Amino acid sequence: YLMRNKIYILVALMMATLTMTSCLKDDDEKTIVSYKDTAILSFSLGQLKQVRDTIAKNGKDSTYTGKFNAAKVKFYIDQAQGLIYNPDSLPYGTNPASALAKVVAKNSGTIVIKSTTDEKFTYYRNNDSINFSTPRVFRVYSNKGSEYRDYKVSVNVHKQRGNVFSWQVLQANSNFASFTAMKAVSAGSKVFVFGTNGSQTVVYAASKDNGNSWTKLSKTFTANAYKSVVVQGAKLFVIDNGTVYSSTDGSSWTTVATNSSLKQLVAASPAELFALSTSGMLLASKNNGVTWTNESLDSNASLLPVSNIGSSLTAVSSDLYRVLLVGTLSNGTKNAAWTKLSYRQNEQWSYVESNADKFQLPLYKSLSVVNYDKAALALGLNSSGKLASMLLSRDGGITWKSDKSFTYPTGVQAATAFAATVDSDEYLWVISGTKVWRGRLNRVGWALNLSRLAE
């Protein structure tokens, strides 16, 4: 009986405390309170009108109005700052001027919307259309009506078409005029151009965030060393006359190893460096170029590329990468492609066979292969010396196809020396002669910004 009385007394004290806490606020005083008292718990939109591009019967570009289902678009609710917004913007052409919104409040609190022209509020109803062309203020009241919180709701819509390359012309570098060939790479915060003038390889560097100012670096290499440049992480590697060099800035270089059987670096992954030997074998180094071993091939080594070599690296998982190696065969008749998963124990290189002659990689001059939009992108000059179509391979080098979204910048012209690379901000750099451009596919930039926002 005594124990039961103690329990009753404890419960009574708890109830009294809760009652006192709820009465601390004057019922007649409207106050802004915390998320614990009242809040918006979820927000979503319904169908919206969207203007879309199409091609008319006469072949000209046209548009039509369709519907975009925004119900699956995720809106983030920042309870601390009272913000509601969609980090992933709605597609280009979507019109948020007349939208049905589904808003859920804590404990079924009352929701009102502030006018866009004055300080008045009107009741929210889920079947009333709302104009979200500009941010709107939603207010949610507690059941007592004495407490409320305000939220600023922003419906973000892309202002650019996603499948369009936005190009920026950068300042030309007259020093590139002496180059008969070159290779561009990006490492860390810089873009490097290794160019040969026929007697030696000279290196220039520019900030990836600027690109209008190029610095000539003091280190020079032999005439053909420009072909043998790869990047692993933020480090540059070069093989020059059998010597492996590495650098973090392109200015100071460390001698890693000397091996007379090494001919040319051809590719890199985070775990391995790959090189061709003087005897035509494919070698790998798992210790940053110090020691090298023969790679296992599923086809004859005579099918390995020997000139005009390019490579791309695509992430399969956090620690597995697909390396694609392409280039021209020794007989000069066609390009060949090989692929490998790096790093997987005892994984061998696979020769990429394709019966689709129409979609094979043509014999481009000054071939540059980069990883872009989760695909291998090939750029270069055609047999007439003009800019060749950008070609994408999304199947590991089996087929190479053009994509109307991938277009060169206006005014770009072919030159004797041509190179391309991609920096860590997913900008594609094109260097043709002395001229330099930097561009990015709009939706690739959006995806990068989203991924960084989530980090």
Side-chain angles (χ1 to χ4, degrees):
Y1 177 82
L2 183 60
M3 179 62 70
R4 190 187 309 166
N5 273 348
K6 286 183 178 180
I7 293 173
Y8 286 152
I9 293 170
L10 179 60
V11 171
L13 285 171
M14 290 174 64
M15 292 297 293
T17 303
L18 289 171
T19 304
M20 289 175 64
T21 302
S22 65
C23 295
L24 284 176
K25 298 190 180 297
D26 186 351
D27 284 350
D28 296 327
E29 182 184 358
K30 303 250 187 256
T31 55
I32 300 175
V33 293
S34 71
Y35 163 58
K36 295 180 180 179
D37 298 296
T38 185
I40 288 178
L41 299 179
S42 68
F43 179 94
S44 62
L45 296 177
Q47 284 194 336
L48 302 173
K49 290 183 179 179
Q50 182 188 13
V51 177
R52 298 171 181 168
D53 296 325
T54 187
I55 299 177
K57 290 182 179 179
N58 59 8
K60 294 184 178 180
D61 292 336
S62 181
T63 60
Y64 70 97
T65 301
K67 290 184 178 181
F68 173 75
N69 184 9
K72 294 182 179 180
V73 175
K74 292 184 179 180
F75 279 80
Y76 177 73
I77 302 178
D78 185 336
Q79 298 291 357
Q81 300 185 71
L83 301 174
I84 300 175
Y85 59 94
N86 52 318
D88 190 2
S89 298
L90 299 179
Y92 177 85
T94 305
N95 186 359
S98 179
L100 296 180
K102 183 179 180 181
V103 188
V104 177
K106 187 175 183 180
N107 299 323
S108 301
T110 301
I111 303 171
V112 293
I113 310 170
K114 188 178 181 180
S115 168
T116 57
T117 57
D118 54 39
E119 298 298 310
K120 293 181 180 178
F121 285 82
T122 57
Y123 283 104
Y124 153 78
R125 296 179 180 85
N126 60 14
N127 58 354
D128 286 347
S129 64
I130 303 170
N131 185 353
F132 286 104
S133 297
T134 58
R136 302 299 301 271
V137 174
F138 278 58
R139 176 172 290 179
V140 56
Y141 285 90
S142 64
N143 285 325
K144 293 188 302 180
S146 59
E147 302 159 341
Y148 70 82
R149 287 200 74 204
D150 283 349
Y151 292 82
K152 180 182 176 182
V153 180
S154 300
V155 177
N156 298 315
V157 180
H158 283 302
K159 300 294 190 278
Q160 303 171 310
R161 287 179 170 86
N163 290 326
V164 172
F165 250 96
S166 295
W167 288 99
Q168 176 187 7
V169 58
L170 301 176
Q171 187 172 316
N173 185 349
S174 59
N175 294 309
F176 293 167
S178 63
F179 292 159
T180 56
M182 58 186 170
K183 183 173 182 178
V185 295
S186 178
S189 62
K190 294 181 179 180
V191 173
F192 299 88
V193 170
F194 289 71
T196 180
N197 55 21
S199 60
Q200 62 179 359
T201 292
V202 183
V203 189
Y204 284 86
S207 165
K208 70 178 178 65
D209 298 322
N210 185 335
N212 287 310
S213 176
W214 293 85
T215 302
K216 183 181 179 181
L217 306 182
S218 58
K219 178 68 173 176
T220 60
F221 301 92
T222 59
N224 288 320
Y226 74 96
K227 301 176 184 178
S228 192
V229 181
V230 299
V231 175
Q232 186 181 63
K235 188 176 287 188
L236 297 161
F237 286 89
V238 176
I239 289 179
D240 192 11
N241 276 344
T243 299
V244 183
Y245 297 95
S246 68
S247 175
T248 55
D249 59 7
S251 297
S252 58
W253 292 81
T254 301
T255 300
V256 176
T258 298
N259 184 334
S260 60
S261 67
L262 295 173
K263 179 184 177 184
Q264 179 184 339
L265 278 171
V266 292
S269 75
E272 297 169 293
L273 295 172
F274 302 101
L276 285 176
S277 72
T278 53
S279 61
M281 300 302 294
L282 188 57
L283 309 177
S285 173
K286 300 177 180 64
N287 53 12
N288 303 309
V290 177
T291 59
W292 297 81
T293 56
N294 283 345
E295 285 285 79
S296 175
L297 310 177
D298 74 350
S299 297
N300 197 291
S302 64
L303 294 171
L304 287 170
V306 298
S307 62
N308 225 15
I309 296 173
S311 67
S312 72
L313 185 70
T314 307
V316 178
S317 64
S318 59
D319 58 353
L320 192 64
Y321 294 80
R322 181 172 295 281
V323 185
L324 177 65
L325 180 65
V326 298
T328 308
L329 294 175
S330 59
N331 59 18
T333 57
K334 69 172 186 176
N335 282 323
W338 292 75
T339 185
K340 178 189 177 179
L341 289 174
S342 174
Y343 174 71
R344 180 180 284 175
Q345 192 71 30
N346 300 322
E347 186 75 14
Q348 66 177 185
W349 283 85
S350 298
Y351 176 63
V352 179
E353 296 191 63
S354 174
N355 296 320
D357 291 342
K358 180 182 177 182
F359 297 115
Q360 286 190 350
L361 181 62
L363 289 172
Y364 283 180
K365 300 176 182 177
S366 303
L367 176 66
S368 288
V369 178
V370 297
N371 181 64
Y372 202 84
D373 194 27
K374 299 178 182 178
L377 173 63
L379 308 89
L381 311 178
N382 61 24
S383 57
S384 301
K386 297 181 179 179
L387 282 175
S389 298
M390 296 188 198
L391 296 178
L392 286 162
S393 179
R394 298 189 181 276
D395 54 14
I398 299 173
T399 60
W400 297 83
K401 300 177 181 179
S402 60
D403 185 322
K404 65 179 182 180
S405 301
F406 286 72
T407 56
Y408 286 103
T410 303
V412 65
Q413 293 181 339
T416 303
F418 175 90
T421 189
V422 175
D423 66 26
S424 57
D425 291 322
E426 298 296 329
Y427 281 101
L428 175 63
W429 292 63
V430 171
I431 303 106
S432 186
T434 61
K435 306 294 180 64
V436 183
W437 290 264
R438 178 179 61 189
R440 187 165 67 180
L441 194 61
N442 291 335
R443 61 175 171 78
V444 170
W446 303 339
L448 180 67
N449 293 336
L450 265 181
S451 66
R452 290 181 174 175
L453 190 67
E455 290 177 355

CSV table of all heavy atoms in Angstrom, one decimal, residues 260-291:
chain,number,residue,atom,x,y,z
A,260,SER,N,65.4,0.4,-68.1
A,260,SER,CA,65.6,0.6,-69.5
A,260,SER,C,64.5,-0.1,-70.3
A,260,SER,O,64.4,0.2,-71.5
A,260,SER,CB,67.0,0.1,-69.9
A,260,SER,OG,67.1,-1.3,-69.6
A,261,SER,N,63.7,-1.0,-69.7
A,261,SER,CA,62.7,-1.7,-70.5
A,261,SER,C,61.4,-0.9,-70.5
A,261,SER,O,60.5,-1.2,-71.3
A,261,SER,CB,62.4,-3.1,-69.9
A,261,SER,OG,61.8,-2.9,-68.6
A,262,LEU,N,61.3,0.2,-69.8
A,262,LEU,CA,60.1,1.0,-69.8
A,262,LEU,C,60.1,2.0,-71.0
A,262,LEU,O,61.1,2.7,-71.2
A,262,LEU,CB,60.0,1.9,-68.5
A,262,LEU,CG,59.8,1.1,-67.2
A,262,LEU,CD1,59.9,2.0,-66.0
A,262,LEU,CD2,58.5,0.4,-67.2
A,263,LYS,N,59.0,2.0,-71.8
A,263,LYS,CA,58.9,2.9,-72.9
A,263,LYS,C,58.0,4.0,-72.7
A,263,LYS,O,58.4,5.2,-72.9
A,263,LYS,CB,58.4,2.0,-74.1
A,263,LYS,CG,58.3,2.9,-75.4
A,263,LYS,CD,57.7,2.0,-76.5
A,263,LYS,CE,57.5,2.9,-77.8
A,263,LYS,NZ,56.8,2.1,-78.9
A,264,GLN,N,56.8,3.8,-72.3
A,264,GLN,CA,55.8,4.9,-72.2
A,264,GLN,C,54.7,4.6,-71.2
A,264,GLN,O,54.2,3.5,-71.2
A,264,GLN,CB,55.2,5.1,-73.6
A,264,GLN,CG,54.1,6.2,-73.6
A,264,GLN,CD,53.5,6.3,-75.0
A,264,GLN,OE1,54.0,5.9,-76.0
A,264,GLN,NE2,52.3,6.9,-75.0
A,265,LEU,N,54.4,5.5,-70.3
A,265,LEU,CA,53.3,5.4,-69.4
A,265,LEU,C,52.0,5.6,-70.3
A,265,LEU,O,51.9,6.5,-71.2
A,265,LEU,CB,53.3,6.5,-68.4
A,265,LEU,CG,54.1,6.3,-67.1
A,265,LEU,CD1,54.2,7.5,-66.3
A,265,LEU,CD2,53.6,5.1,-66.3
A,266,VAL,N,51.0,4.8,-70.0
A,266,VAL,CA,49.8,4.8,-70.8
A,266,VAL,C,48.5,5.0,-70.1
A,266,VAL,O,47.5,5.5,-70.6
A,266,VAL,CB,49.6,3.5,-71.7
A,266,VAL,CG1,50.7,3.5,-72.7
A,266,VAL,CG2,49.6,2.3,-70.8
A,267,ALA,N,48.5,4.7,-68.7
A,267,ALA,CA,47.3,4.8,-68.0
A,267,ALA,C,47.6,4.8,-66.5
A,267,ALA,O,48.7,4.4,-66.1
A,267,ALA,CB,46.2,3.8,-68.3
A,268,ALA,N,46.6,5.1,-65.6
A,268,ALA,CA,46.8,5.0,-64.2
A,268,ALA,C,45.4,4.9,-63.5
A,268,ALA,O,44.4,5.3,-64.0
A,268,ALA,CB,47.5,6.3,-63.7
A,269,SER,N,45.5,4.2,-62.4
A,269,SER,CA,44.3,4.1,-61.5
A,269,SER,C,44.8,4.5,-60.1
A,269,SER,O,46.0,4.7,-59.9
A,269,SER,CB,43.8,2.7,-61.5
A,269,SER,OG,44.6,1.8,-60.7
A,270,PRO,N,44.0,4.6,-59.1
A,270,PRO,CA,44.5,5.0,-57.8
A,270,PRO,C,45.4,3.9,-57.2
A,270,PRO,O,46.2,4.2,-56.4
A,270,PRO,CB,43.2,5.0,-57.0
A,270,PRO,CG,42.1,5.4,-57.9
A,270,PRO,CD,42.5,4.7,-59.2
A,271,ALA,N,45.4,2.7,-57.8
A,271,ALA,CA,46.2,1.6,-57.2
A,271,ALA,C,47.4,1.2,-58.1
A,271,ALA,O,48.3,0.6,-57.6
A,271,ALA,CB,45.3,0.3,-57.0
A,272,GLU,N,47.3,1.6,-59.4
A,272,GLU,CA,48.3,1.1,-60.3
A,272,GLU,C,48.7,2.1,-61.4
A,272,GLU,O,47.9,2.9,-61.8
A,272,GLU,CB,47.8,-0.2,-61.0
A,272,GLU,CG,47.5,-1.4,-60.1
A,272,GLU,CD,46.8,-2.5,-60.8
A,272,GLU,OE1,45.6,-2.3,-61.2
A,272,GLU,OE2,47.4,-3.6,-61.0
A,273,LEU,N,50.0,2.0,-61.8
A,273,LEU,CA,50.4,2.7,-63.0
A,273,LEU,C,50.6,1.7,-64.1
A,273,LEU,O,51.0,0.5,-63.8
A,273,LEU,CB,51.7,3.4,-62.7
A,273,LEU,CG,51.8,4.6,-61.7
A,273,LEU,CD1,53.2,5.0,-61.5
A,273,LEU,CD2,50.9,5.7,-62.2
A,274,PHE,N,50.3,2.0,-65.3
A,274,PHE,CA,50.5,1.1,-66.5
A,274,PHE,C,51.4,1.7,-67.5
A,274,PHE,O,51.3,2.9,-67.8
A,274,PHE,CB,49.1,0.8,-67.1
A,274,PHE,CG,48.1,0.2,-66.1
A,274,PHE,CD1,47.2,1.0,-65.5
A,274,PHE,CD2,48.2,-1.1,-65.7
A,274,PHE,CE1,46.3,0.5,-64.6
A,274,PHE,CE2,47.3,-1.7,-64.8
A,274,PHE,CZ,46.3,-0.8,-64.2
A,275,ALA,N,52.3,0.8,-68.1
A,275,ALA,CA,53.2,1.3,-69.1
A,275,ALA,C,53.4,0.2,-70.1
A,275,ALA,O,53.3,-1.0,-69.9
A,275,ALA,CB,54.6,1.7,-68.4
A,276,LEU,N,53.9,0.7,-71.3
A,276,LEU,CA,54.3,-0.2,-72.4
A,276,LEU,C,55.8,-0.4,-72.2
A,276,LEU,O,56.5,0.5,-71.9
A,276,LEU,CB,54.0,0.3,-73.7
A,276,LEU,CG,52.5,0.3,-74.2
A,276,LEU,CD1,52.4,1.0,-75.6
A,276,LEU,CD2,52.0,-1.1,-74.3
A,277,SER,N,56.3,-1.6,-72.5
A,277,SER,CA,57.7,-1.9,-72.4
A,277,SER,C,58.3,-1.7,-73.8
A,277,SER,O,57.6,-1.7,-74.8
A,277,SER,CB,58.0,-3.3,-71.9
A,277,SER,OG,57.6,-4.3,-72.9
A,278,THR,N,59.6,-1.7,-73.9
A,278,THR,CA,60.3,-1.6,-75.2
A,278,THR,C,60.0,-2.8,-76.1
A,278,THR,O,60.2,-2.7,-77.3
A,278,THR,CB,61.8,-1.4,-75.0
A,278,THR,OG1,62.3,-2.4,-74.1
A,278,THR,CG2,62.0,0.0,-74.4
A,279,SER,N,59.7,-3.9,-75.4
A,279,SER,CA,59.4,-5.2,-76.2
A,279,SER,C,57.9,-5.3,-76.5
A,279,SER,O,57.5,-6.4,-77.0
A,279,SER,CB,59.9,-6.4,-75.4
A,279,SER,OG,59.2,-6.4,-74.1
A,280,GLY,N,57.1,-4.3,-76.2
A,280,GLY,CA,55.7,-4.3,-76.6
A,280,GLY,C,54.8,-5.0,-75.6
A,280,GLY,O,53.7,-5.4,-76.0
A,281,MET,N,55.2,-5.2,-74.4
A,281,MET,CA,54.4,-5.8,-73.3
A,281,MET,C,53.7,-4.7,-72.5
A,281,MET,O,54.2,-3.5,-72.5
A,281,MET,CB,55.2,-6.7,-72.4
A,281,MET,CG,55.9,-7.8,-73.1
A,281,MET,SD,54.7,-8.9,-74.0
A,281,MET,CE,53.8,-9.6,-72.6
A,282,LEU,N,52.7,-5.0,-71.8
A,282,LEU,CA,52.0,-4.1,-70.9
A,282,LEU,C,52.4,-4.4,-69.5
A,282,LEU,O,52.3,-5.6,-69.0
A,282,LEU,CB,50.5,-4.2,-71.1
A,282,LEU,CG,49.6,-3.2,-70.3
A,282,LEU,CD1,50.0,-1.8,-70.8
A,282,LEU,CD2,48.1,-3.5,-70.6
A,283,LEU,N,52.9,-3.4,-68.8
A,283,LEU,CA,53.4,-3.6,-67.4
A,283,LEU,C,52.6,-2.8,-66.5
A,283,LEU,O,51.9,-1.9,-66.8
A,283,LEU,CB,54.9,-3.1,-67.4
A,283,LEU,CG,55.9,-3.6,-68.4
A,283,LEU,CD1,57.2,-3.0,-68.2
A,283,LEU,CD2,56.0,-5.1,-68.3
A,284,ALA,N,52.7,-3.2,-65.2
A,284,ALA,CA,52.0,-2.5,-64.1
A,284,ALA,C,52.9,-2.3,-62.9
A,284,ALA,O,53.8,-3.1,-62.6
A,284,ALA,CB,50.7,-3.3,-63.7
A,285,SER,N,52.7,-1.2,-62.2
A,285,SER,CA,53.4,-0.9,-61.0
A,285,SER,C,52.4,-0.6,-59.9
A,285,SER,O,51.5,0.2,-60.1
A,285,SER,CB,54.3,0.2,-61.1
A,285,SER,OG,54.9,0.6,-59.9
A,286,LYS,N,52.5,-1.3,-58.8
A,286,LYS,CA,51.6,-1.1,-57.7
A,286,LYS,C,52.2,-0.3,-56.5
A,286,LYS,O,51.7,-0.2,-55.5
A,286,LYS,CB,51.1,-2.5,-57.1
A,286,LYS,CG,50.3,-3.3,-58.2
A,286,LYS,CD,49.9,-4.6,-57.6
A,286,LYS,CE,49.2,-5.5,-58.6
A,286,LYS,NZ,50.0,-5.8,-59.8
A,287,ASN,N,53.5,0.2,-56.8
A,287,ASN,CA,54.2,0.9,-55.7
A,287,ASN,C,54.7,2.3,-56.3
A,287,ASN,O,55.9,2.6,-56.1
A,287,ASN,CB,55.3,0.1,-55.1
A,287,ASN,CG,56.2,-0.5,-56.2
A,287,ASN,OD1,56.2,-0.1,-57.3
A,287,ASN,ND2,57.1,-1.4,-55.7
A,288,ASN,N,53.8,3.0,-57.1
A,288,ASN,CA,54.1,4.3,-57.6
A,288,ASN,C,55.3,4.3,-58.5
A,288,ASN,O,56.1,5.3,-58.5
A,288,ASN,CB,54.3,5.3,-56.4
A,288,ASN,CG,53.2,5.4,-55.5
A,288,ASN,OD1,52.0,5.5,-55.9
A,288,ASN,ND2,53.4,5.2,-54.2
A,289,GLY,N,55.5,3.3,-59.3
A,289,GLY,CA,56.5,3.3,-60.3
A,289,GLY,C,57.9,2.7,-59.9
A,289,GLY,O,58.8,2.8,-60.8
A,290,VAL,N,58.0,2.2,-58.7
A,290,VAL,CA,59.3,1.7,-58.3
A,290,VAL,C,59.6,0.4,-59.0
A,290,VAL,O,60.7,0.2,-59.5
A,290,VAL,CB,59.3,1.6,-56.8
A,290,VAL,CG1,60.7,1.0,-56.3
A,290,VAL,CG2,59.1,2.9,-56.1
A,291,THR,N,58.7,-0.6,-58.9
A,291,THR,CA,58.9,-1.9,-59.6
A,291,THR,C,57.8,-2.2,-60.5
A,291,THR,O,56.6,-1.7,-60.3
A,291,THR,CB,59.0,-3.0,-58.5
A,291,THR,OG1,57.8,-3.0,-57.8
A,291,THR,CG2,60.2,-2.8,-57.6
